[in-house]
Amino acid sequence: MKKSFFVIVFVLIFLLSGCGVKTKKVKDPFISIKEQLDKLESYTVTAIVELYNNKIDNKFAVVQFYKKGKFRLEVLKESGSPDKIIVYDGKRSYVYFAKVNQVFVAENTEEIPLYSMITSFIKNYINSAGEVEKREMDKFYLITVPILDKNIFMYKEQMAFSKEDLAPKELTIFDINNEIFSKIIYKDFKYNPEINDKLFTKDSVMTLAGNLLNSTVIEIDAKEVYKYCGINPVMPVYLPQGFKLLNVLVNVNENNGVTFVYTSGKNLIEIFETVVDQNKIVNEKGVLLSEGVYYKEKDNGEKEYTTMVNGMQVKITVTGDLNEEEILKVIKSLR
């Protein structure tokens, strides 16, 4: 009898301990969200921004690119064309306004929709000093934090994270009276994607990211020209005062022609070199300027000089106030 009793007790203990091994503690989703935000190095997303300030509804889309402290915001009209493009290269912000077709260095950021960025929420979340509210809804996990640089219109914000993949889905910004100032809906969020650094340069600020990424023009180092083009380029020994090499580009749609871009302030010299059949360039030469050098003015006001050097066609396009004598010196110095 005693033996049977001890056997039963042993079996019960074994079963209970077995159940204890199988019971696995579920990780707190809010901890997982925090870990995911801490490891965010880059993202892309389309943000649909709705503003309710002064009861006047305003809606626009912002395509966002972020990478290790640099960002790019493309504010689009309903037609899909850019209203403004903001690029921050890690040191300065540049803003392109489509209405005036000009780029400005951003000193005042009041009209730049930085509040719609996911990293803006992360900054407030990390520095909230414990003033964080967390709630669980049917489809979302909600995190509410105070805004560091708060004002009467932007007092606190609440991010909704999807229960499926913990991705940010909606951001609601409340004013001091707890009324909605803005609601941002995030679409096509990509976590830590590879992003081309050229999107965060001053030179890219006037061009939509889609056009840049789909461009047939490749940026290369001057030392790699032969590798990509199969030609030994000619370089100017003489350049007008103040000019420096800015970039080297290869256009795969133009016989892998190579372009050297030199700048000085608003003045620009582009030297495009490619191998062509000499008979094919007769009709586009323009007016004979001097021996072997032809000139024409383009419709946009740019000046174009064409010549042949070492069996290659060289086109020099000039933007700005450079005079003809200076360009002829550049052409004669090509080696």
Side-chain angles (χ1 to χ4, degrees):
M1 184 69 179
K2 287 184 177 180
K3 186 176 181 181
S4 299
F5 173 76
F6 285 117
V7 170
I8 292 170
V9 171
F10 177 77
V11 171
L12 287 172
I13 292 172
F14 176 78
L15 290 173
L16 288 172
S17 63
C19 291
V21 172
K22 290 180 181 178
T23 302
K24 187 177 181 180
K25 188 177 179 181
V26 178
K27 189 172 183 178
D28 185 342
F30 290 101
I31 293 177
S32 297
I33 290 171
K34 179 67 164 55
E35 290 175 348
Q36 187 163 283
L37 295 179
D38 287 340
K39 294 176 182 177
L40 181 72
E41 293 189 345
S42 65
Y43 79 83
T44 62
V45 76
T46 298
I48 309 301
V49 181
E50 296 179 353
L51 293 176
Y52 304 100
N53 190 17
N54 295 326
K55 298 182 179 180
I56 300 175
D57 293 352
N58 186 17
K59 186 175 181 179
F60 55 90
V62 184
V63 183
Q64 302 180 359
F65 302 84
Y66 171 84
K67 182 178 181 181
K68 297 180 179 178
K70 301 178 182 181
F71 63 79
R72 178 189 184 91
L73 306 180
E74 299 181 357
V75 183
L76 308 179
K77 302 176 185 176
E78 290 185 8
S79 63
S81 60
D83 180 35
K84 63 173 71 79
I85 299 175
I86 304 104
V87 168
Y88 177 67
D89 62 8
K91 295 181 180 179
R92 307 189 79 176
S93 293
Y94 302 94
V95 186
Y96 166 68
F97 291 96
K99 289 181 181 179
V100 294
N101 194 32
Q102 289 189 42
V103 177
F104 299 90
V105 177
E107 302 294 345
N108 189 338
T109 59
E110 287 183 4
E111 294 188 11
I112 298 177
L114 300 181
Y115 57 84
S116 69
M117 293 186 67
I118 294 168
T119 48
S120 178
F121 170 82
I122 294 174
K123 178 183 176 183
N124 291 325
Y125 184 18
I126 292 173
N127 297 284
S128 58
E131 300 179 59
V132 178
E133 298 177 20
K134 301 174 183 178
R135 283 194 296 143
E136 182 176 347
M137 304 294 287
D138 289 340
K139 296 181 179 180
F140 303 111
Y141 297 112
L142 301 180
I143 299 178
T144 306
V145 299
I147 295 174
L148 294 177
D149 301 321
K150 63 180 68 174
N151 55 50
I152 60 172
F153 300 112
M154 303 173 66
Y155 196 75
K156 67 178 181 179
E157 57 186 352
Q158 181 183 83
M159 182 75 82
F161 295 87
S162 168
K163 281 191 171 182
E164 294 181 2
D165 56 5
L166 304 182
K169 291 295 183 182
E170 293 183 9
L171 179 65
T172 306
I173 299 176
F174 299 91
D175 65 18
I176 197 169
N177 297 316
N178 208 36
E179 294 183 355
I180 296 177
F181 165 75
S182 178
K183 179 169 282 188
I184 298 110
I185 299 172
Y186 298 108
K187 296 183 177 181
D188 303 321
F189 173 77
K190 291 182 177 60
Y191 179 78
N192 283 346
E194 289 290 331
I195 303 178
N196 195 318
D197 286 328
K198 71 181 179 181
L199 293 184
F200 308 107
T201 62
K202 177 185 176 183
D203 296 324
S204 74
V205 74
M206 295 180 65
T207 308
L208 286 172
N211 296 334
L212 283 170
L213 297 176
N214 295 326
S215 173
T216 56
V217 176
I218 305 170
E219 294 185 28
I220 63 170
D221 188 277
K223 298 175 183 177
E224 297 181 306
V225 172
Y226 185 83
K227 173 183 173 182
Y228 282 88
C229 305
I231 62 174
N232 290 311
V234 291
M235 305 287 287
V237 176
Y238 170 82
L239 282 171
Q241 187 174 1
F243 275 84
K244 294 181 179 180
L245 179 64
L246 173 69
N247 212 345
V248 183
L249 307 169
V250 174
N251 193 323
V252 297
N253 278 355
E254 293 195 43
N255 200 26
N256 280 349
V258 58
T259 302
F260 294 88
V261 184
Y262 299 88
T263 60
S264 175
K266 294 182 179 179
N267 295 322
L268 189 75
I269 299 176
E270 295 178 298
I271 302 178
F272 176 73
E273 305 174 19
T274 187
V275 178
V276 296
D277 183 343
Q278 192 164 353
N279 295 323
K280 292 182 179 180
I281 68 170
V282 174
N283 295 330
E284 58 174 304
K285 284 181 178 178
V287 179
L288 182 62
L289 189 62
S290 66
E291 185 178 354
V293 180
Y294 296 82
Y295 166 81
K296 67 178 179 181
E297 188 167 330
K298 300 168 77 172
D299 293 337
N300 59 5
E302 294 178 344
K303 302 168 185 176
E304 185 178 272
Y305 302 80
T306 305
T307 189
M308 296 292 295
V309 180
N310 296 344
M312 288 188 299
Q313 177 181 273
V314 178
K315 284 186 180 180
I316 298 182
T317 304
V318 179
T319 304
D321 302 323
L322 284 167
N323 60 47
E324 182 180 294
E325 184 179 347
E326 288 285 86
I327 299 304
L328 287 175
K329 285 182 180 180
V330 172
I331 291 173
K332 290 179 180 179
S333 75
L334 290 171
R335 299 287 185 273

